[in-house]
Amino acid sequence: MKIFYHLLGNTLLASITNFTVWFDLTFFVYLETRSVLATSLLAGIYLIAVAVSGFWFGSLVDHYKKKHCMLASSVVSLSIYSLGFAIYLLAPPDAFKSPASLTLWIFAPLLLMGVISGNIRGIAMPTLITLLIPEERRDRANGLLGTAFGVSFLIVSVISGLLVGLAGMFWILVVGIVMTVLALVHLWLIPVVEQAIVHIDGKPQRIDIRGTLAAISTIPGLFALIVFTTINNFLGGVFMSLMDPYGLSLVSVEVWGLLWGMLSLGFIFGGLAIARWGLGRNPLRAMFSANITIWAICSVMTIQPSIALLMVGMFIYLCVVPYIEAAEQTIIQKVVPPERQGRVFGFAQSMEQAASPLTALLIGPSPSSSLSRS
Amino acid sequence: MTTGRGVELIGGWFGSGPDRGIALVFTITGIIGLVMTLLALRSRFYRLLSQRYLASAGHPPPAPQASPAPHMASIEAEH
């Protein structure tokens, strides 16, 4: 359990670092070019890269030791941030001003790849929970993992605006490099006992889509579960993209930003509640209860133009959301053979990301609204 | 949602204008999500996956696979 807490802390550190680079890169691109098109393009590149890399990362996690995958993820991020730092230092000061600048379109996608490399952790961590945590406590561990991602998101959304305003890209990259080194050294020192990987299906393939689909189809209902979650994410994405315009029709920008900061605590409470009480005997039941709650809230919370109604609804919504993710993980951890879990988690990540472009755009930093807030 | 029959129908109570239009999208999305979830809850996949989860003793901590489970054998056969 102690090892798990260390891994959790390490994941928190790494995801704060990577999210910070991503958010501030978007702010930076917007402030330099003043082009919403450029930031949208960046968001699009990010989304496609996440969806494609999920398959590949899943294969890597299955074929190599999970700790090594996480170490490699940090090494890649570190190299890319260092290279990006070099490009930033060498480029003339006005090299990033034009949306058509070649330097900009080498620099920004390069840094994005460093951020995306961190996503290996999102696949490796649930499989490490399978390895390290006895079955009856996995739901709680998944709740904690969700909390860790929630906390990192909250911290980053608070500090990223400050960082880019006060410090600029130079210091963001310095902070990114230093924090990645810290995460790397800390991870290196965590002793994770993993058995030798059993290559049941011969040589490691780079992107093993066939094997993944075969693994998923042998478990009745698993594919349906992933499709169901994907549709849910899509509907959730539609809904989230309308949240800002709707909220801003009720209150001022400042109040809206403040309220969202408080609401996002709901996500953390939800994760902690799972860590404390678990998901019950059947996580699928917990997942469906959570979905019914969410959609029921969604159908009534805008029925009258009231900010109080919206806030109460959204708070419950955000408390319940972590249950869905944690339940999906807990189910996969039990019904999928461990040596294939990386690919199944990777596949789920790819599907769910690809189906919710709107979610990604919203969860991604949106400079126009965030900057007007500050 | 500013003019038209929809406004005449529910505008008096729900409100009208672009903002209330967005509000209506939330309500409709919520209802679609709710119906979808209830349908999925009654489906075969829910029952099968639930049974599978509750029935399987779970995978033991991944010991070197001396005897692959039957479903693994079927995957291998495909290769």
Side-chain angles (χ1 to χ4, degrees), chain A residues 72-370:
Chain A
S73 136
S74 286
V75 170
V76 171
S77 300
L78 181 62
S79 324
I80 288 180
Y81 295 162
S82 309
L83 191 60
F85 192 50
I87 294 176
Y88 182 76
L89 290 181
L90 292 175
D94 57 352
F96 303 102
K97 292 279 180 217
S98 158
S101 151
L102 181 66
T103 319
L104 177 73
W105 290 109
I106 292 173
F107 177 74
L110 180 74
L111 285 186
L112 272 192
M113 296 309 130
V115 174
I116 287 167
S117 166
N119 283 359
I120 292 185
R121 288 163 179 272
I123 299 168
M125 279 301 286
T127 60
L128 275 169
I129 289 177
T130 313
L131 278 180
L132 297 173
I133 311 282
E135 190 192 310
E136 66 278 3
R137 299 191 60 84
R138 280 184 203 148
D139 49 353
R140 292 156 200 242
N142 289 326
L144 279 177
L145 185 58
T147 311
F149 281 114
V151 169
S152 59
F153 226 86
L154 183 65
I155 292 177
V156 171
S157 40
V158 172
I159 63 171
S160 63
L162 286 175
L163 257 180
V164 83
L166 296 176
M169 206 63 207
F170 179 90
W171 287 106
I172 287 156
L173 285 170
V174 170
V175 168
I177 290 169
V178 171
M179 281 174 60
T180 307
V181 170
L182 286 178
L184 195 56
V185 172
H186 176 236
L187 179 60
W188 192 281
L189 296 174
I190 304 174
V192 182
V193 183
E194 292 180 56
Q195 259 131 6
I197 309 290
V198 190
H199 292 286
I200 43 160
D201 42 6
K203 63 179 190 329
Q205 284 171 288
R206 296 273 95 170
I207 302 182
D208 180 18
I209 297 178
R210 247 190 75 206
T212 307
L213 291 177
I216 292 173
S217 62
T218 50
I219 295 145
L222 185 58
F223 190 72
L225 176 74
I226 295 175
V227 170
F228 178 72
T229 318
T230 305
I231 298 174
N232 256 315
N233 274 16
F234 177 73
L235 283 180
V238 171
F239 158 132
M240 282 304 196
S241 66
L242 292 171
M243 191 48 80
D244 270 347
Y246 183 68
L248 292 176
S249 77
L250 295 174
V251 289
S252 72
V253 185
E254 292 78 13
V255 174
W256 182 240
L258 194 69
L259 288 174
W260 258 103
M262 295 195 298
L263 283 181
S264 53
L265 288 175
F267 195 86
I268 294 165
F269 291 154
L272 290 176
I274 300 168
R276 175 77 180 77
W277 292 290
L279 294 169
R281 204 169 71 93
N282 183 357
L284 197 57
R285 203 188 148 90
M287 182 185 199
F288 271 78
S289 311
N291 269 312
I292 289 171
T293 312
I294 276 178
W295 295 123
I297 289 170
C298 180
S299 352
V300 296
M301 75 181 178
T302 59
I303 216 155
Q304 288 295 305
S306 147
I307 187 73
L309 186 65
L310 183 69
M311 285 299 116
V312 171
M314 278 312 292
F315 187 75
I316 304 173
Y317 180 101
L318 287 168
C319 287
V320 169
V321 161
Y323 278 83
I324 297 175
E325 181 81 359
E328 190 188 13
Q329 283 179 11
T330 309
I331 294 164
I332 292 177
Q333 282 160 354
K334 185 163 171 187
V335 302
V336 176
E339 62 277 8
R340 285 192 175 267
Q341 283 180 7
R343 275 165 287 181
V344 174
F345 280 120
F347 175 76
Q349 192 188 75
S350 287
M351 283 271 287
E352 286 156 21
Q353 286 284 344
S356 56
L358 291 165
T359 319
L361 288 175
L362 175 101
I363 289 182
S366 115
S368 48
S369 60
S370 304

